[in-house]
Amino acid sequence: MKHIVKLLALLVAVSAFWIGLLETVIPRSYAWLLPVYFVVSLGCYGLLMVGVGLMHFPTCPQEAGLLQQDIAEAKEFLKQRGVDVDYD
C-alpha cells in the first residue's frame, strides 16, 4: 500500500509541476509537448541502458566449453540409440 501512495504522490507532484508550467511564462505550445518529450527521453534512456548492458554482457568461456561437452555427450548417446544427429 505504501508503494501506491508514493506513486500517487509522485504523479500529483509531476502533474502540479506541469500545470504550473502551463500557467507561467513557458509558451503553451511547448508546455503541452513536455509529456511527449518525457516519454521519448525515457525510451532513449531505456535503449541506451539495453545497449550498455549488451556491451558489458559477461562471456563465460568455461560454461561454453561445458555446453559443447554436453552436446557431444548427447550426440554420442543418441548415436548409440540409433538416432542420426549429424547434420554436417
Side-chain angles (χ1 to χ4, degrees):
M1 187 67 176
K2 292 180 183 179
H3 193 62
I4 293 173
V5 172
K6 288 179 185 178
L7 287 175
L8 287 176
L10 181 65
L11 180 66
V12 168
V14 169
S15 298
F17 179 72
W18 184 50
I19 291 171
L21 286 177
L22 287 175
E23 301 299 324
T24 59
V25 295
I26 295 176
R28 287 184 91 83
S29 61
Y30 296 138
W32 283 108
L33 291 175
L34 286 177
V36 175
Y37 292 149
F38 176 73
V39 170
V40 169
S41 299
L42 191 62
C44 290
Y45 174 76
L47 286 174
L48 177 71
M49 289 296 106
V50 168
V52 168
L54 287 174
M55 285 191 310
H56 296 294
F57 190 75
T59 56
C60 305
Q62 298 88 5
E63 295 298 324
L66 289 175
L67 181 60
Q68 291 298 327
Q69 183 181 1
D70 288 344
I71 291 171
E73 289 175 8
K75 282 184 178 182
E76 185 62 35
F77 176 78
L78 290 173
K79 281 182 186 177
Q80 291 174 358
R81 302 281 189 236
V83 178
D84 184 25
V85 292
D86 286 327
Y87 56 89
D88 298 328

